[in-house]
Amino acid sequence: MLIGSSYSLISTFNSWLSSGNILLNIAALIAYGIFISIILSVYDYLFGWAERKIIAKVQLRHGPTYVGKFGILQNLADVIKLLAKEHIVPDTADKFLYAIGLPAMMAISVLLVLVLPFSPYLQATNLTLGLLFVLVLLSFMPLFMFVSAYSTGNKFADISAQRSVLMMLSYELPMLIVFASVALLSKGFNISGIISAQSTTWFVWLMPIGFIVFFVTMLAELERPPFDFLEADSELIAGWLTDYSAPYYALSLFLDYTRMLFGSLIMAILFFGGWSGPFLPPIIWLLIKAVIISLFIIIIRTTLVRMRIDRMLKFGWVWMLPLSLVNLIITYMVFIH
Amino acid sequence: MRVVIDVPVRINVGPIHPSTHGVLRLVVDVEGDKIENMEAHIGFLHRGVEKLLENRMYMQACPYMEKLDYFAPMSYDELYVAAVEQAYGVEIKEKAMYVRTILLELQRIASHLASIGFLCNDIGQLFTAFMWSFKDRDMVLKLLEAATGTRMFYVNMRIGGLVRDLPPGFEDSTIELLDYLSKRIPMYEKYLEKNPVFMERNKGIGIISRDDAKNLGITGPVLRGSGVSYDIRKNKPYYVYEKLNFRTQVRNEGDNFARYKVRMLELRESIRIVREALKKMPSEGSAVGMPIRLIGPPVKNKITITERELPRGECMIYLVADPQRPYRAYIRSANFINLSAIEEMCKGQRFADLFSIIGGLDMVIADVDR
């Protein structure tokens, strides 16, 4: 029944969007915005909790237990606490940049999720060059990270800012080349087109090297361990977030999980056939795939030691870049030529 | 508005920082990511323990000594009591010697396990190895609790022996624990040494040469990691270490990995020592020492020097004994002297390696500041 009603909702949404009436168009977009916010907040909240619980299990601890059943309300309590705290802006900060840095990053990451299609009918837009748009937005990320780190005037944040540039140099190019090989394979930059190109075989089977490169670069993009140089808590205290207090810190937590949602979604879309799958509705398939990838990303955090930033650059240029090129060439030779 | 930052950048690491193992302040000049110069500032946790000892009666000082190194409290307690025993000129019962050896080695196991956890934490292995090794450490602490009555700060030594005998069933539970630990230690080694990033973060990092280590007066696993075979338990044996069969573990690399590896090997040696001591321990007799005395040794300005191999290195007490209370007690802390090597180790290393070096040195700042 639920599935049926959601289908009817989606078809209503579609008819609104395709009708020429501008009011209906706006209503449809607002409805989609609400839908995305629900997905984002549920995912962010649940993964904030799940990460704590899973890591606690690996580390022979219990994790949150007191607030709510299985500590499910712990993150809510934390956010309320953070919002109630005093918001301290350091004297050394550039007030304007300090104010816009994190919100801009949050906006970009929400936009990134917004661009991705959730099902054949459930998408905000169907850009012809969707993948390219994603790439453009992604390359804004380190820029704003640099801005927000640099604006605090903290030396630890400064080191973090320098590291973010170094990181960008090391992972951006391999990632771009993998994007290119995906586009080559699906003969276009349209994201829906990429998913329909995988209706017979997932791209992960066609270019496993590309997937490995993409996964590693995505971990770096998301700043997840072992590439968490920017927030390296045992070295830089909290890196670029050192001087962000109260509400901004809460925002940074949401940002973390929003970016993780985007990372898992794009991996599911580019390599695991996106929404395609039997029986269940497409959006459920996409979310199942994204959740499995997210869990994998979380488990990696519990086991790996942080790399060193200078090794990261070497790793990016000596291993990732050649591997991504090899992947591109193989893709061209085998599947296109 | 912000100031333009000169190169090299001067960064204050600490005194409040997640991985300085307490309140150590390091003033680091970095150029890019490379450490140009470094200076350690200590004294934030100075409590004047040496002066406190001069104002306490002999056995009142034990709790102060324990708080110097909170990862090996019993070792410090024993060091102090041994110094007082020397001043008194008391013979220690044979059974008490065995019991002390066993307890001290268990303490060493607990301390080394903690150090492995801290090393992993410092190089960014978010608490996994830390929690695992602390769980194992806690099992050792439970055993010590059974033997002494408290979990961390034992105050278990008395002149000539201990406060109480080992409880019944202690031997069996110890052997059970040692069996468990000898299975766990290879597991840690497998988990850490097969991890290429862990090896990369530790191999060739913070090298200190054999000569430098000797000249700086470094002791403990740090010295043995630099290829010097020096261990008070072997070189100037006390208690029953002469009768026991164990080796001094030495690695020649002098880097962070060597120090970690020496600790791993010493864990095995400690397990061996405890097993053998349990076997050789006389079954009859009591290990209980004298009751606490208010009157000190009937000597005037008797100078005693007591050395012990603590988990973090050679510690020494220079005690000028008077009746009533010590006239002077100087504590040579291994941590304080090992810390002097950190500038040598860090020069030219990456900023991120600073923390693996601190983890490798296994600092306890309370002991440095005294």
Side-chain angles (χ1 to χ4, degrees), chain A residues 59 150 155 234 302 308, chain B residues 2 10 17 19 126 128 353:
Chain A
Q59 297 177 349
Y150 199 61
K155 281 180 186 172
S234 62
T302 60
R308 220 171 60 192
Chain B
R2 55 182 297 107
R10 173 161 288 189
H17 189 279
S19 49
L126 298 151
T128 306
D353 291 333

Side-chain angles (χ1 to χ4, degrees), chain B residues 74 103 142-150 156 164-167 170:
Chain B
M74 195 186 282
L103 292 180
K142 269 184 191 142
L143 203 64
L144 290 175
E145 187 181 0
T148 65
T150 42
N156 190 43
R164 54 174 77 80
D165 271 319
L166 290 178
F170 180 83

